Amino acid sequence: MRIHIIALGDSLEATTMRTVLEVQTHQVVLSFVATPEQFFAACTQSAGSADALIISAHGDEAGFVFPLLAEGVSDVALDDDILTPEKMAAQMTQAPPLVFSTACFTG
């Protein structure tokens, strides 16, 4: 199976998953992202090349928690550094058939 892991702030969890999956003979791509633009680009990349996408991140009731970014680093406006499901739906155009999230409360 071809698996793409997107690490959003929690690199230890993501690298551990990568190691475990590779030992099980899966092909794994690991992308470290810091901005919403990088996140959406990685999702789009995985849509055509992966069977599954794993989002390794922190979350709360509102969505994925992004690290605090300096002003002007990202063109995507996030309320309280949270990527909400509504913003994801508006920005994401493609994704693999299976998408998993390790972030709390993200479903």
Side-chain angles (χ1 to χ4, degrees), residues 63-107:
F64 291 108
V65 178
F66 269 74
L68 183 62
L69 298 173
E71 194 165 321
V73 171
S74 174
D75 291 332
V76 177
L78 299 178
D79 296 328
D80 298 322
D81 298 315
I82 302 292
L83 179 60
T84 63
E86 295 78 21
K87 286 210 187 261
M88 285 185 70
Q91 294 285 328
M92 285 187 67
T93 57
Q94 301 175 15
L98 295 172
V99 179
F100 300 94
S101 170
T102 65
C104 293
F105 301 107
T106 57

Side-chain angles (χ1 to χ4, degrees), residues 18-38:
R18 178 184 188 175
T19 302
V20 169
L21 291 167
E22 286 178 339
V23 165
Q24 296 174 353
T25 69
H26 297 288
Q27 296 175 348
V28 181
V29 172
L30 175 56
S31 299
F32 295 95
V33 302
T35 68
E37 289 88 350
Q38 292 171 345

